[in-house]
Amino acid sequence: MIELRHLRTLVALKESGSLAGAAKKRFVTQSALSHQIKELETRINSAIFVRKSKPLSFTQEGARLLNLAEEILPKVIETEIDLKNGLGSEAKDLFVGIECHSCFRWLMPVIEQFNASFPHTNLELSSRHLFDSLTALKQGQLDVVLTSDPIPDHDIAYQHLFDFEVKLLVAADHPLAELPYVTAAQLKEQTLLTYPVPLDRLDIYRHFMEPAGVPVAKQIRCDLTAMLLQRIACKDGVSALPNWSINEAHGLSLKAVKLGSEGLRRPLFGAYRSNGSSARLAQQWLNLVTSEGLERQGH
């Protein structure tokens, strides 16, 4: 039987790129981690990754298990949070809204750190107010919002977390793959693969193509990151994704290309009600988000 600890180990292997790094993330010895991997490989009768590969490369079986881990573990964490919400009359809730479809996975370590530091606080991560999250924040339905598009309001405080780069992700043998950067005009006839988001909410359209007067030829929407990356690899289209999503393309033959000669960089802010009862707790959560985000970008 495949266990959650196995799935967490696969994610740690992907994020660290080595057995030693994964052992450190999982707080076990390298020997114990190797034993756990061997146990899993025996259960599925297949190797999980290619030995002595640098960087670490997953086998097809390992990549499939990794996709399973990245789909299941966020749901496990979310369910744990939901269950905790019904326990303890003194527990305090912190409702966090995200405006990004691909943020959830890299926020998992932040959730774990926060739960360890504030065991009596229930944190709920939600995208249900995706296109109106700041209004939900102002109305008290959310306590924190992660957004790249702040709206000035004297009741809302914005904490700059970090800047991230949005790049064009294409198949490795796509004609655009060998360019040092792409211009908006070069995307004129390209099919754009996106999350289920309207064009006027997409960074590549609002801040790159529209200012240059370049329309989107065709948009295809995908619900899941894994599906989106697979379709890029199959040359169904190209996609503009932030750093953390591009890092999930392990095992696929893809190439990330700069958008414009200077690149397309976007800020990420944490918004909270400045006079709200959860303001201090929100700031502590956002400090963890900043640390994790900068670490993932190599800062």
Side-chain angles (χ1 to χ4, degrees), residues 79-93 119-122:
T79 300
E80 287 176 345
I81 293 170
D82 288 342
L83 292 174
K84 285 180 182 179
N85 283 341
L87 304 176
S89 58
E90 297 181 359
K92 181 177 178 57
D93 295 324
H120 300 297
T121 298
N122 300 317

Side-chain angles (χ1 to χ4, degrees), residues 14 34 43-44 87 100 110 112 124 145 151-152 163 209 227 233-235 251 254 257 260 283 295:
K14 174 192 169 182
S34 296
R43 293 185 183 187
I44 67 172
L87 304 176
C100 172
V110 184
E112 293 177 355
E124 180 176 330
V145 169
I151 299 175
D163 292 337
M209 298 178 71
M227 181 190 304
C234 292
K235 297 184 184 178
L254 303 176
V257 186
Q283 291 171 344
E295 180 180 340

